[in-house]
Amino acid sequence: MSRKEKILFLCQYFYPETLSSAVLPYELASKFSADGYDVSAMVGYPNEYIDTKYVCPSQETVKNIKIKRLKYSGLNRHKALGRIANILSFSFAVFMHPKRMRLADTYICTTNPPLLPFTAALYAKLFHKKLFIIMYDLYPDSVVSVGYLKKTSFIVKAFECVNQFAFRNATGVIALSSEMKDYLVRNKKIPSGKVAIIPNWYQDCHRDDKYDVSLPLHIVYGGNMGEGQEFDTLLSAINALKEDKRFKFTFIGQGSQKQKIKTFIKDNRISNCECKDFIPKDEYDKLLNHAHLAVMTLKESECGLGSPSKFYGYLAAKKPVVAVLPESMDVAKDLKDYRAGICVSNGDSEQLVHMLLGLADNPDKLKEMSNHAYQLFLEKYTLDKCYQKYEKLVRS
């Protein structure tokens, strides 16, 4: 075998953590390693998303990936000062390892934390390395869109300068969708040819292929209930269907809007809807496996700033999707093209009620949607499909 490039992954979260921004780069690194590339990873030492009894070594090799874990502040990321400290301390920890940066041929860097691409770009420019930035999120735009920061603030302006330096010195920028690419080209002035579209993926999962369409229809929302999600449309539809015993709704997860959801359910005396706290993954998988439909939602202002990662898991589990988000998004077009669920625009609760009633009247249609959802997953959102695009990009 001819010599292949040395690839260095740079991200805050990685194996053995279990959140999506840790699993995705680890799975991608594993594919490059299995394909004969010399792969290493410089990542943060696990603080939150891991069993507290598990002790990680600062260095180890897993699946031929040489992992170096860096200590950083590890403060509460839900508080502003803690989040800022984590961003600065981890990015600085990476900066303090120039030798590892010099030995690699190519950097694959995520936007978690958001200052990390700047650090990678400094070394890419200094050592003449290739740099690919995966846009899991776009800062500061995502925090401006939900009102946490003003566009005119010093922090936002500073981040814009940092981002421009990173984009300018990157070999390529990976957008998760066509709407994200459009946003980057339009608002960040990145040349269109520099931005590749590669979505996230999901590893195929264990699922119950016996799709039970007996009523009531169980509709599940699982995941973050943060400021980027739009729940008013969904809650209005649930309220309209609260007397209809053919429906059961479940919310699972955490986030800044969770209390709002719980209060809405209580104030409107909705008996066919419940809001649960975080549950272990095996319990969640079991609950999702027995659900009929799975929900994802996004505010219009968030279009182009990220991608709803739960979408891929829903498809892998053969779950038809209820999507409340801008219909111009790739995921909305996929659902319509493949007939893998239902999609309504933000605010159109009447249309959502109409479509859900149609499914309750004809539940056998859900079996067809279930098969289409899995077909969509196999054709567009497997690790193998996405890796082929990454490998081609690195090789070129």
Side-chain angles (χ1 to χ4, degrees):
M1 180 184 293
S2 60
R3 175 187 176 275
K4 288 193 175 181
E5 295 185 51
K6 294 181 178 180
I7 300 176
L8 174 62
F9 279 78
L10 300 167
C11 48
Q12 184 173 355
Y13 305 116
F14 202 70
Y15 172 88
E17 294 167 295
T18 56
L19 71 165
S20 61
S21 54
V23 172
L24 290 168
Y26 171 63
E27 290 178 344
L28 182 59
S30 299
K31 288 293 287 185
F32 272 109
S33 176
D35 205 16
Y37 286 86
D38 185 345
V39 181
S40 58
M42 194 146 53
V43 303
Y45 192 89
N47 286 305
E48 294 181 84
Y49 303 100
I50 189 173
D51 187 335
T52 54
K53 297 178 182 178
Y54 188 93
V55 178
C56 286
S58 60
Q59 296 188 75
E60 70 173 325
T61 299
V62 180
K63 293 186 177 180
N64 288 324
I65 306 166
K66 297 178 283 292
I67 304 172
K68 171 66 176 177
R69 298 187 177 96
L70 306 178
K71 296 280 189 178
Y72 64 101
S73 60
L75 300 178
N76 187 346
R77 67 183 184 90
H78 297 292
K79 296 184 181 295
L81 289 178
R83 188 172 182 83
I84 291 171
N86 292 344
I87 290 171
L88 293 173
S89 62
F90 179 69
S91 301
F92 183 72
V94 172
F95 178 76
M96 294 302 291
H97 287 78
K99 183 177 180 181
R100 290 179 181 271
M101 302 296 288
R102 182 171 56 82
L103 290 175
D105 299 311
T106 298
Y107 309 149
I108 296 180
C109 177
T110 73
T111 51
N112 199 340
L115 196 59
L116 187 58
F118 174 75
T119 304
L122 281 173
Y123 281 119
K125 182 177 177 66
L126 177 63
F127 295 140
H128 307 287
K129 307 295 184 180
K130 291 194 292 186
L131 166 63
F132 296 97
I133 302 173
I134 306 176
M135 303 299 299
Y136 286 162
D137 295 291
L138 182 55
Y139 294 91
D141 305 59
S142 57
V143 290
V144 170
S145 70
V146 295
Y148 286 158
L149 289 174
K150 292 183 178 179
K151 199 171 184 178
T152 55
S153 71
F154 170 78
I155 294 177
V156 169
K157 290 181 178 179
F159 256 114
E160 289 292 0
C161 293
V162 163
N163 285 339
Q164 285 303 316
F165 178 85
F167 295 147
R168 194 164 53 247
N169 289 282
T171 309
V173 176
I174 291 113
L176 304 181
S177 62
S178 59
E179 65 268 12
M180 180 183 278
K181 176 175 180 175
D182 292 343
Y183 186 93
L184 291 169
V185 171
R186 184 176 65 252
N187 295 284
K188 305 304 175 184
K189 310 304 179 187
I190 306 175
S192 178
K194 202 173 191 176
V195 185
I197 302 172
I198 307 178
N200 285 335
W201 60 87
Y202 197 87
Q203 289 279 48
D204 207 349
C205 58
H206 299 291
R207 62 191 175 277
D208 185 0
D209 288 322
K210 296 178 181 178
Y211 193 84
D212 180 13
V213 294
S214 59
L215 298 176
L217 298 184
H218 190 188
I219 303 168
V220 173
Y221 177 91
N224 184 35
M225 303 177 194
E227 295 301 321
Q229 283 73 46
E230 188 270 293
F231 291 106
D232 290 345
T233 306
L234 179 61
L235 290 174
S236 180
I238 291 173
N239 192 38
L241 297 169
K242 66 181 179 181
E243 302 297 337
D244 195 326
K245 302 303 180 184
R246 295 177 298 171
F247 295 97
K248 176 184 176 183
F249 300 91
T250 302
F251 289 87
I252 306 167
Q254 299 289 347
S256 58
Q257 294 200 66
K258 182 173 184 176
Q259 188 55 50
K260 167 188 170 179
I261 294 169
K262 295 178 76 172
T263 301
F264 185 91
I265 295 170
K266 181 179 179 181
D267 289 350
N268 289 278
R269 299 179 180 178
I270 303 175
S271 60
N272 62 347
C273 182
E274 60 180 343
C275 189
K276 295 186 175 184
D277 291 329
F278 172 82
I279 60 176
K281 185 178 183 302
D282 58 339
E283 289 184 33
Y284 172 75
D285 289 344
K286 184 177 180 181
L287 187 148
L288 181 62
N289 211 19
H290 290 88
H292 295 93
L293 292 146
V295 180
M296 65 179 185
T297 181
L298 199 71
K299 288 181 177 177
E300 287 187 71
S301 60
E302 293 289 299
C303 185
L305 302 182
S307 183
S309 58
K310 58 176 67 67
F311 178 61
Y312 318 108
Y314 289 164
L315 298 180
K318 296 187 74 171
K319 297 303 163 185
V321 177
V322 177
V324 182
L325 39 71
E327 295 189 61
S328 60
M329 293 179 64
D330 286 354
V331 294
K333 295 174 183 176
D334 280 346
L335 288 177
K336 291 180 179 179
D337 290 345
Y338 281 79
R339 302 191 305 279
I342 59 178
C343 183
V344 301
S345 299
N346 300 89
D348 197 352
S349 60
E350 288 186 9
Q351 177 66 4
L352 180 56
V353 169
H354 172 73
M355 297 179 89
L356 289 175
L357 287 172
L359 291 176
D361 291 336
N362 184 19
D364 286 336
K365 188 176 181 181
L366 286 168
K367 283 187 178 180
E368 184 180 332
M369 283 185 170
S370 171
N371 292 327
H372 290 165
Y374 193 59
Q375 180 188 359
L376 170 57
F377 166 72
L378 291 177
E379 291 185 11
K380 299 187 73 170
Y381 298 118
T382 65
L383 173 57
D384 285 341
K385 294 282 187 183
C386 297
Y387 171 72
Q388 290 171 15
K389 297 179 181 179
Y390 272 101
E391 203 273 338
K392 182 179 179 181
L393 197 64
V394 169
R395 189 161 30 86
S396 65

